[in-house]
Structure formats: C-alpha cells, structure tokens
Amino acid sequence: MGKIISICNQKGGVGKTTTCVNLSAALGILENKVLVIDTDPQANASVSFGFSSRRINNPALQFMDFVAVIKNNVIKTNSPNVDLLPFFEDLNFFKRTSEESKFKQALETISKLYDFIIIDCVPFFKTKNLDILISSDSVIIPVQCDYYALEGLHTFLKTIRYVQKNLNRNLEIEGFLLTMFDRRLNLSKQVVSYVRSYFKELVFNAVIHRNSKITQAPSFGKSIMEYDISSSGARYYLQLASEILVRNAKAEGLKEVSVIPEQKESIFNTRRFFKTLDPEERNNTLLEKFLKKSEANYENEKSPFIKNFDALIDLTKPYVEQIMGICYKNHFGNIWIYKINKSKIFKKKYLYIYFKDDIVSHYATKWFMN
Ligand code: ADP
Ligand code: MG
C-alpha cells in the first residue's frame, strides 16, 4: 500500500504546490511510483506539470465509482514515474454521503497501485481539507521562512490534533518543511531556529532555499527535475525525497535506501564522462581498466557515446566518481543516477548505478519522455 501524504498549511503562498510538484518528481526520479492529486480549483499543480483543470466526460460517474473515475482520468506526466489526477471542476469527492468519506475509500484502493500519493491542498481551511486529512496517512506542513510564517501555525496544529483524536487516529505529521529560505536574511535564520527549537525532530533536515529556477519551472509546465536537474532547487527536493524515503524505510525496518546528502556538485554530470574518452587521459592508470573494457564497444558506435556500461561492474565508488563525475557523493547511498545524453529528441536517458557493499553490483539505463 502506498503512503498517502497531503501537503497542507492554512496559509497561501508558502510553497505547498511547489513542494507537491517537485517532491513528487524527486520521488519519481528515485524510482517510486507517485500519484499527484490536485484538489485546488486554481489547478496550480496541474499547470505545473503542463496540464489544465479538466471536466470529466461523464459526471454521472461521480455518484458511482470513484476508483473508476480516478483510474480513467489519471494522466501520465513527463516526470518519470509520476501520474497526475488533475483538478476536476465537476467531480465532487467531498460531498459526504456516508460516515466514511468516499474519497478515503477510493484512495485506499488506488494507493495499492502507487508507492506514494501526494495531495496538494487549498490554502484556506475548508471541509475539503478536513476530508483530505481524514484520508491521509501523513501531512507535510510547509513553513515559509518569513515574518508571518508562524502566524496561524498553532491553530492549524490544533486542527491536526483534533483530526488525530477524533477522525483519523493514524494521521502522522510527516514533517515541517522550511521553504523559501534565504541565507542572506537574518529573519530566515531566526525562523529556522525557532521552528527547529519548537518542533524539534518533526522538522525535516532538508531546507528548501529560495531559488529562481524553482520559480521559473512551472511556467514551462515542468517540475524542477525536468526544468533543470542540476539546479540547487532540484537538489533541495531530492534531499527532501531521500529523507522521506529513509524515514519511512526505518519505520518499516528496511535497510537499503539511497540518501542524497548536501553536496554542491550536480548528480547529473555528463561532460566528465566524455572527457574520459580523450586519448590524453588514457595514461591515467585509474581509468585504464574502464577504457579497456569499454573500448571494443565504443569503437563500434557511431556516436561518441558508450552504450554499454558493463565496465562499471565491480568498481568502487571513488572509481565510479572518477569516471562518471561527482554524484552527490556519500557513503550510504546505494543508487547513483546520471542523466547521460539527449540522443533521442523527446527522450532522456538515465543511468542508474546500483552499489552493494560500496561496489557496483549492476546498472540500468532507462529512457524517459523529455
Ligand atoms: P502555495 O501552494 O502554498 O500557495 P506555491 O507553491 O504556489 O504556494 O508558492 C507560492 C509562490 O512562491 C510561487 O510563485 C512559487 O513559484 C514561489 N516559490 C515557492 N517555493 C519557492 C522557492 N523555493 N524559491 C523561489 N520561489 C518559490
Ligand atoms: Mg497552491
């Protein structure tokens, strides 16, 4: 069963939609199947993925089978592994017909098809949001690092406690997420230290800094992962995603999860890879083994691009880093991802390198629509 996480805060403009879209895209990149549900009539999340709100073809459906309605109207986005249920003007999940909301029942069924369902909420606290909280396993609360950030937060928390006590005992706080942090502002730092001292381990380690690429991405109908995977904005959300994966894996007693710690360099580095093919670098003994193995393969190719990565097998992390470029270097992460080329017009190729005991055990290449 996938985990149902809603992104809520009674305030508008704190980064709910931005977090919904980019966290989902990051979870998708890290190989989780994600469904994004847009419940906001402004349809910002849908637009951020390049879609608008829709009218469903058969409104009568809404009185019958929500699961079918969701299944029939889910769209594949351009983000790897991310589906979207856009905002539907005429689909009312939220008319309560029985004690248990139909939304909740439908979500429980749909969650079997996904690893995560991420719900974008409307700002003002309406019955709709209450239904979403009742239907969720956990809630992420974005807190903008500014003066008014804390205003209303306590009231909102009271509501969450009320839901936990009376309506949904299983609702957890996944975490408070500090957004739009600006390291130049003292105020930003003060908000961070206040929120951390007050909510302690409930606050994510990952902090989303203010980043112009994050602002630009939606106008291209792309998540930050598609817009600029090497931006720091993408890195913040990859860090958040891996933190959530680690926390949830711990809760389930699982061991192997990829961690993306803070690091300046991009995880996606193609140029270095080409550089290693330069004959002048061949006397570099560290690269010798790699080039020898891949040479035959390389010479058969018209494009100067190695399609077979067998030479990576059994290499250690520093070795892979030498060849492929820096990849959010860390000693815990067991999956490293590189975006490797654009040789097909509408598709991007990703290389996943899997480590076992810090040695490459296998790899996979995947095409995703651009
Ligand atoms: P909400 O859904 O809570 O109303 P949004 O996610 O729509 O908030 O964010 C409000 C505005 O702030 C948007 O214009 C968005 O592009 C911008 N924004 C959000 N997060 C960031 C960030 N980390 N850096 C820069 N701009 C951001
Ligand atoms: Mg929004």
Side-chain angles (χ1 to χ4, degrees):
M1 286 259 287
K3 187 162 195 182
I4 304 168
I5 304 178
S6 52
I7 319 271
C8 278
N9 185 321
Q10 82 290 3
K11 287 184 68 155
V14 296
K16 291 186 294 295
T17 303
T18 306
T19 297
C20 170
V21 168
N22 295 321
L23 169 63
S24 302
L27 287 167
I29 287 272
L30 297 173
E31 300 219 289
N32 297 274
K33 236 182 134 14
V34 183
L35 172 65
V36 173
I37 299 185
D38 188 357
T39 67
D40 185 347
Q42 291 183 357
N44 288 344
S46 309
V47 172
S48 301
F49 278 114
F51 301 97
S52 53
S53 65
R54 308 213 161 174
R55 303 189 75 84
I56 54 170
N57 296 331
N58 183 0
L61 261 179
Q62 65 185 296
F63 302 108
M64 292 153 51
D65 185 353
F66 275 12
V67 174
V69 172
I70 296 176
K71 279 187 181 167
N72 292 338
N73 290 285
V74 156
I75 314 172
K76 250 188 142 21
T77 71
N78 287 334
S79 269
N81 298 321
V82 181
D83 289 351
L84 167 74
L85 184 69
F87 178 76
F88 283 100
E89 290 162 27
D90 41 12
L91 178 60
N92 195 347
F93 282 122
F94 306 101
K95 269 186 198 152
R96 284 191 200 203
T97 46
S98 61
E99 278 296 296
E100 281 244 280
S101 89
K102 278 198 169 188
F103 186 57
K104 184 183 172 87
Q105 290 170 9
L107 280 195
E108 271 170 14
T109 310
I110 294 292
S111 73
K112 292 182 186 127
L113 306 174
Y114 292 93
D115 297 312
F116 289 95
I117 296 184
I118 312 282
I119 308 177
D120 188 26
C121 297
V122 286
F124 298 104
F125 206 78
K126 295 179 179 162
T127 346
K128 196 190 220 181
N129 274 357
L130 208 55
D131 271 347
I132 293 169
L133 290 179
I134 293 170
S135 314
S136 300
D137 295 318
S138 70
V139 53
I140 290 176
I141 306 162
V143 180
Q144 187 182 350
C145 299
D146 80 353
Y147 184 67
Y148 299 106
L150 308 165
E151 195 187 60
L153 204 54
H154 293 280
T155 334
F156 182 62
L157 273 182
K158 268 190 201 154
T159 315
I160 290 196
R161 300 280 177 236
Y162 173 81
V163 173
Q164 286 173 325
K165 209 167 164 204
N166 302 296
L167 302 166
N168 177 6
R169 273 168 209 281
N170 300 323
L171 181 71
E172 294 168 15
I173 294 181
E174 190 75 40
F176 290 86
L177 175 67
L178 294 153
T179 63
M180 292 184 244
F181 175 77
D182 189 336
R183 57 161 63 88
R184 293 164 301 182
L185 301 178
N186 270 335
L187 181 62
S188 250
K189 291 174 193 155
Q190 283 163 9
V191 172
V192 170
S193 67
Y194 177 83
V195 171
R196 286 209 190 283
S197 68
Y198 200 85
F199 297 112
K200 302 203 164 64
E201 71 282 357
L202 280 178
V203 186
F204 288 111
N205 294 327
V207 173
I208 313 296
H209 297 226
R210 209 173 257 289
N211 176 257
S212 58
K213 294 271 168 70
I214 290 181
T215 329
Q216 292 157 12
S219 58
F220 293 87
K222 290 176 176 176
S223 83
I224 189 69
M225 304 302 145
E226 276 64 49
Y227 183 63
D228 186 355
I229 190 79
S230 58
S231 64
S232 38
R235 196 177 71 239
Y236 307 138
Y237 278 105
L238 280 163
Q239 280 160 7
L240 174 65
S242 67
E243 195 177 335
I244 289 172
L245 291 173
V246 170
R247 283 192 186 190
N248 283 285
K250 270 193 193 140
E252 284 174 29
L254 298 173
K255 265 193 224 138
E256 275 197 28
V257 183
S258 173
V259 185
I260 297 177
E262 196 150 357
Q263 174 98 19
K264 285 253 157 13
E265 288 79 5
S266 158
I267 47 167
F268 296 93
N269 185 337
T270 51
R271 268 183 231 110
R272 284 258 202 118
F273 189 66
F274 290 107
K275 241 169 84 188
T276 61
L277 300 174
D278 185 343
E280 276 176 30
E281 285 196 29
R282 292 190 178 203
N283 43 16
N284 181 338
T285 48
L286 265 180
L287 295 178
E288 204 78 331
K289 183 179 162 198
F290 177 77
L291 289 173
K292 230 188 228 157
K293 273 200 204 173
S294 53
E295 202 141 25
N297 180 42
Y298 168 55
E299 281 168 4
N300 287 336
E301 297 288 344
K302 284 208 175 97
S303 79
F305 184 76
I306 295 173
K307 296 220 166 102
N308 183 335
F309 294 91
D310 287 352
L312 292 173
I313 305 284
D314 290 342
L315 297 188
T316 59
K317 283 182 176 175
Y319 210 160
V320 171
E321 195 177 286
Q322 187 101 15
I323 294 164
M324 302 293 292
I326 291 170
C327 175
Y328 277 102
K329 178 176 59 179
N330 74 93
H331 298 286
F332 310 104
N334 287 321
I335 308 172
W336 289 9
I337 311 165
Y338 293 86
K339 185 169 76 180
I340 45 185
N341 75 347
K342 281 187 181 171
S343 67
K344 287 193 181 171
I345 294 173
F346 296 113
K347 286 184 169 181
K348 278 182 190 148
K349 195 177 187 184
Y350 289 85
L351 170 69
Y352 288 72
I353 303 174
Y354 298 85
F355 291 91
K356 194 156 197 260
D357 302 327
D358 286 352
I359 285 175
V360 179
S361 63
H362 62 290
Y363 69 88
T365 53
K366 296 170 193 213
W367 290 100
F368 290 113
M369 294 304 286
N370 196 358

